[in-house]
Amino acid sequence: MAELKQMSQSPGPIGVFDSGYGGLTIYSEIQRMMPEYDFIYLGDNARAPYGTRSFDVVYEFTRQAVHHLFNSGCQLVILACNTASAKALRNIQQIDLPGIDPRRRVLGIIRPTVESIGEITKSRHVGVLATEGTIKSMSYPLEIRKLFPDITVASEACPMWASLVEANEHLNPGADYFIKRDIEQLLSRDPDIDTIILGCTHYPLLLDKIKQYVPNGITVLTQGHAVATALQDYLKRHPEMDKLCTKGGNTIFRTTESDERFREQASKFLNHDLRAQKITLL
Ligand code: DGL
């Protein structure tokens, strides 16, 4: 892994990390609500998807990404990826951060998502659609049980969905087969579900298709708003960290794949032109 540069406490951009394009659905909401901040968005597109990878591999890749963002001056990093939040966050917070710089922070997105469901579900039956890694980690049911013990959770892994987005096949008719199948499977596990958490940041890019197969009356919950609100709240409660976040309204986009490909795809997802830099994670 790359050597860590001498850690300084100079202010820097907020780092936003995902395995690929999915984190853009979180970044765009954060940027909309906090336009004065600077960001570095990092997509590990060359190694996406993470969803079917083992715990050790997701932890190692995420660690490399966090090191890169710290070396780029970020004091605060958001893992805008459920798979990384489920499989790497705790180790990074408890094992890595104390040795790197205990004042820096790495935050995940599962907790703020779960906090938001309490007021949404009326039937108290919630469904979770996510990658195989996130589902197998049991992070959602465990976190939901901690905060809302009265809520029943059913889950379904969607092994193809993030790959469809990374391969730019998500709007094609072939995608419907997988989307319909996985939603039907989830609803067959619990017909009382009234709220479905899209527990993967890639899935909002499939929202139009997802809504076609979710019956009326079921709320489909994306994570951007809950995560951005939680981040704003965090920075209010931690003015010492807020001071370490620069505010120039700029974003740098980085990818481990082709910068041209990232530019093309990400511009479509964000609806504006952008430039991207190709980097290597070690
Ligand atoms: N977007 C990520 C998530 O939220 C990961 C998808 C993947 O790489 O499989 O889980």
Side-chain angles (χ1 to χ4, degrees), residues 18-19 22 49-51 81-83 131 134 162 199-202:
D18 181 47
S19 62
Y50 280 12
C81 174
N82 292 270
T83 312
T131 65
T134 301
C200 171
T201 56
H202 281 68

Side-chain angles (χ1 to χ4, degrees), residues 31-254:
Q31 203 278 335
R32 192 184 68 75
M33 287 173 65
M34 302 166 52
E36 68 278 26
Y37 287 80
D38 293 320
F39 300 96
I40 298 180
Y41 181 89
L42 172 58
D44 189 8
N45 302 78
R47 302 188 292 194
Y50 280 12
T52 45
R53 293 187 186 271
S54 68
F55 180 95
D56 287 348
V57 170
V58 173
Y59 173 37
E60 180 55 25
F61 287 180
T62 307
R63 217 149 58 111
Q64 292 172 4
V66 168
H67 277 222
H68 173 86
L69 290 166
F70 281 171
N71 275 337
S72 305
C74 300
Q75 303 286 338
L76 173 64
V77 171
I78 312 298
L79 301 184
C81 174
N82 292 270
T83 312
S85 299
K87 293 187 155 193
L89 179 67
R90 183 172 308 173
N91 275 8
I92 288 177
Q93 286 177 335
Q94 295 180 358
I95 301 172
D96 299 293
L97 259 187
I100 299 171
D101 181 350
R103 295 164 301 186
R104 299 201 183 209
R105 286 287 171 270
V106 179
L107 305 176
I109 58 171
I110 293 178
R111 176 82 183 205
T113 306
V114 168
E115 281 170 354
S116 74
I117 64 167
E119 291 180 358
I120 298 173
T121 172
K122 300 283 174 278
S123 70
R124 313 309 272 174
H125 288 253
V126 167
V128 181
L129 296 170
T131 65
E132 201 181 305
T134 301
I135 298 298
K136 281 199 179 142
S137 75
M138 298 292 287
S139 298
Y140 272 98
L142 291 171
E143 204 62 50
I144 292 172
R145 194 177 310 150
K146 266 193 251 159
L147 295 187
F148 307 108
D150 62 317
I151 292 181
T152 302
V153 187
S155 307
E156 185 65 29
C158 311
M160 287 301 292
W161 295 18
S163 305
L164 289 165
V165 172
E166 288 296 315
N168 198 21
E169 291 288 343
H170 58 296
L171 300 178
N172 294 335
D176 288 66
Y177 168 79
F178 296 103
I179 295 171
K180 181 170 183 289
R181 181 193 67 182
D182 297 339
I183 290 173
E184 283 177 355
Q185 187 64 27
L186 174 73
L187 295 175
S188 73
R189 292 188 196 284
D190 181 354
D192 294 326
I193 288 171
D194 73 349
T195 306
I196 295 178
I197 299 174
L198 297 186
C200 171
T201 56
H202 281 68
Y203 298 176
L205 298 165
L206 301 162
L207 196 57
D208 288 346
K209 283 194 188 282
I210 292 170
K211 284 190 170 161
Q212 281 174 33
Y213 299 108
V214 171
N216 288 339
I218 297 181
T219 304
V220 177
L221 182 68
T222 56
Q223 302 176 275
H225 186 71
V227 172
T229 307
L231 178 59
Q232 263 186 331
D233 182 54
Y234 175 84
L235 291 173
K236 255 188 219 132
R237 287 183 288 111
H238 295 276
E240 74 291 352
M241 178 51 81
D242 191 54
K243 275 195 208 115
L244 290 173
C245 299
T246 52
K247 297 168 187 79
N250 296 311
T251 301
I252 295 169
F253 292 93
R254 291 190 179 148

